[in-house]
Every structure is written in C-alpha cells, then in structure tokens.
Amino acid sequence: MPTALSIEQYLQELHDDYAVRINEAVADDRDDLVWQLADSYTHEALRAQADYGLTPSLHRLPNRGDDAAAA
C-alpha cells in the first residue's frame, strides 16, 4: 500500500513501471507476457486503491479519463 506517496503518485509510478515492462515484452514479441503484465497492472492498481481506502475504479488509473468512461 502506498504510504509516503499520494495514491495518484503511486498509480502513476506503477503505470510507468508497467509501461516499460510491457513495451519490452512487445519488442521481444512476447504477447503472452504482455497480457500477463497488463492483467497484473490492473490488479495491482485496483488493490492499491482499495488498500488506500478508496472504492476501486478503473477511472482513477493513469490515462483513464472521461474518454474511457464514454467507451
């Protein structure tokens, strides 16, 4: 659970870390790993929100603004 960081900072750092790892998996043509990492990122982000005392929501994740809600 994030302690010193705000939930927004924690989610952004989590996103940035997973983006690098997913991009490396794409470059290595590892589609299986890409999907595993994407699923893991979503689970970790939602769990962090719950641990922080928030109702987990995909709309709080980085790059998930109003456009994602309309989709």
Side-chain angles (χ1 to χ4, degrees), residues 11 41-51 54 56-58 61:
L11 291 173
Y41 162 71
T42 302
H43 289 235
E44 281 191 53
L46 293 173
R47 183 177 51 241
Q49 291 176 59
D51 289 349
L54 300 171
S57 168
L58 293 176
L61 302 180

Side-chain angles (χ1 to χ4, degrees), residues 14-62:
L14 185 69
H15 171 270
D16 294 347
D17 177 57
Y18 270 91
V20 168
R21 294 166 63 191
I22 289 172
N23 286 337
E24 289 172 353
V26 168
D28 291 340
D29 200 26
R30 292 284 315 275
D31 291 343
D32 59 321
L33 183 56
V34 169
W35 286 108
Q36 287 176 353
L37 290 168
D39 287 345
S40 179
Y41 162 71
T42 302
H43 289 235
E44 281 191 53
L46 293 173
R47 183 177 51 241
Q49 291 176 59
D51 289 349
Y52 199 78
L54 300 171
T55 301
S57 168
L58 293 176
H59 300 291
R60 263 191 209 91
L61 302 180

